[in-house]
């Protein structure tokens, strides 16, 4: 079984694959001071909850945008699995023509999303990842990667607002019945949900104009479930898209 690990700035997302079948999924907080032991303590329950003994793992692939965690992950795999993990990098051969300069500067998580989208849903497409940063990727009809957009993510945007506005406070994420909020809670819910949804909708329409066709839209990322219901242009919610792309990139290197 392949253990795929997507290391983001906010969360570490884990998937287990038997061939093309995803049999384990889960996420936990990305603690930059994590030790090999603490990482293992977070991974084991994800395997156990799916009835997977860790002895079944024979391969490990990692996509990381957090270099400080890579040494601890390497040691974790070597110490508890007796395996040396393979770190997938953006400069590897991915089978896609990248219109990005330099290609190696494309975040590996973004590359995984593009590869996963093309493999599962085809092209043309727009991938939007609601993570620590919100990222949109444009894929042409011929499968070329055209580039994308990076902007502050929903979580850090909300945190920045709450940190600078002393009269505002944490609220429950849900889609309000009305855009015009009649209380502070409703006003914030409307701003957070419809505001970020509207931002995504505007970018999607601009992407479609530049791609030159009505590209399908695939959403992923930890905050996607909260925003997708308010985004009519998003057609597919794929929570584990980055892991699927990581799996594909890993096996491409083995052939």
């Amino acid at each position: 079984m392949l253990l795929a690990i997507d290391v983001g700035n906010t969360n570490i997302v884990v998937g287990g694959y038997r061939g093309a079948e995803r049999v384990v999924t889960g996420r936990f907080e990305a603690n930059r001071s994590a030790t090999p032991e603490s990482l293992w303590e977070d991974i084991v329950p994800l395997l156990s909850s799916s009835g997977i003994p860790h002895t079944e793992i024979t391969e490990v692939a990692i996509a990381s945008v957090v270099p400080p965690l890579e040494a601890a992950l390497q040691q974790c795999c070597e110490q508890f699995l007796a395996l040396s993990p393979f770190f997938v990098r953006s400069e590897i051969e991915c089978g896609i023509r990248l219109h990005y300069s330099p290609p190696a500067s494309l975040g590996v998580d973004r590359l995984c999303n593009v590869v996963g989208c093309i493999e599962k849903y085809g092209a043309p497409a727009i991938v939007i990842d609601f993570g620590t940063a919100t990222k949109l990727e444009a894929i042409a009809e011929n499968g070329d990667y055209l580039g994308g957009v990076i902007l502050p993510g929903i979580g850090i945007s909300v945190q920045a607002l709450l940190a600078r506005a002393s009269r505002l406070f944490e609220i429950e994420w849900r889609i309000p019945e009305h855009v015009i909020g009649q209380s502070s809670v409703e006003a914030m819910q409307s701003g957070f949900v419809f505001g970020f949804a509207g931002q995504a909708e505007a970018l999607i329409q601009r992407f479609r104009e530049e791609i030159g066709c009505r590209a399908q839209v695939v959403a992923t990322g930890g905050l996607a479930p909260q925003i997708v219901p308010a985004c009519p242009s998003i057609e597919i919610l794929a929570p584990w898209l980055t892991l699927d792309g990581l799996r594909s990139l890993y096996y491409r290197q083995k052939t």
Side-chain angles (χ1 to χ4, degrees):
M1 186 176 81
L2 169 68
L3 184 67
I5 304 175
D6 167 32
V7 185
N9 287 292
T10 302
N11 292 304
I12 295 175
V13 186
V14 176
Y17 292 84
R18 291 195 186 105
E21 182 188 7
R22 191 188 326 108
V23 295
V24 177
T25 53
R27 67 181 66 227
F28 56 89
E29 183 180 355
N31 179 357
R32 292 181 181 233
S33 60
T35 64
E37 292 76 16
S38 66
L39 288 167
W40 184 243
E41 289 172 0
D42 286 322
I43 292 171
V44 166
L46 301 180
L47 298 172
S48 299
S49 64
S50 299
I52 307 294
H54 72 269
T55 52
E56 191 174 331
I57 298 170
T58 56
E59 304 169 281
V60 181
I62 299 174
S64 170
V65 297
V66 188
L69 274 171
E70 292 178 10
L73 280 163
Q74 171 111 20
Q75 294 170 28
C76 175
C77 294
E78 292 174 347
Q79 181 176 341
F80 296 102
L81 294 171
L83 296 171
S84 181
F86 180 85
F87 285 87
V88 173
R89 305 297 185 188
S90 295
E91 58 268 26
I92 65 174
E93 172 54 44
C94 63
I96 300 169
R97 188 162 61 169
L98 305 178
H99 297 263
Y100 209 78
S101 181
S105 68
L106 178 66
V108 67
D109 55 336
R110 298 174 66 193
L111 180 61
C112 287
N113 284 340
V114 170
V115 171
C117 178
I118 292 174
E119 182 175 90
K120 296 195 71 175
Y121 306 111
I126 298 166
V127 181
I128 180 165
D129 186 342
F130 294 102
T132 305
T134 297
K135 295 156 287 190
L136 286 86
E137 318 299 348
I139 303 168
E141 286 187 88
N142 65 357
D144 282 8
Y145 171 65
L146 301 177
V149 162
I150 303 173
L151 58 151
I154 296 169
I156 60 177
S157 298
V158 172
Q159 290 168 12
L161 174 64
L162 297 179
R164 301 294 291 272
S166 58
R167 287 184 176 271
L168 299 183
F169 43 84
E170 294 279 358
I171 61 166
E172 176 188 0
W173 276 89
R174 69 177 183 84
I175 300 178
E177 295 181 6
H178 308 284
V179 175
I180 301 173
Q182 296 182 324
S183 68
S184 294
V185 169
E186 289 182 357
M188 291 172 67
Q189 286 172 334
S190 180
F192 291 171
V193 176
F194 294 125
F196 290 117
Q199 181 185 70
E201 286 286 315
L203 286 167
I204 288 167
Q205 298 313 313
R206 288 176 179 267
F207 267 50
R208 282 176 168 165
E209 290 172 9
E210 293 195 17
I211 293 172
C213 62
R214 192 189 179 283
Q216 65 181 332
V217 184
V218 181
T220 191
L223 291 172
Q226 286 89 341
I227 301 299
V228 166
C231 286
S233 294
I234 296 176
E235 298 149 308
I236 300 169
L237 175 60
W240 313 111
L241 185 68
T242 314
L243 290 177
D244 293 340
L246 170 57
R247 173 200 166 274
S248 296
L249 284 169
Y250 170 70
Y251 281 119
R252 185 176 183 85
Q253 304 314 300
K254 295 191 66 178
T255 58

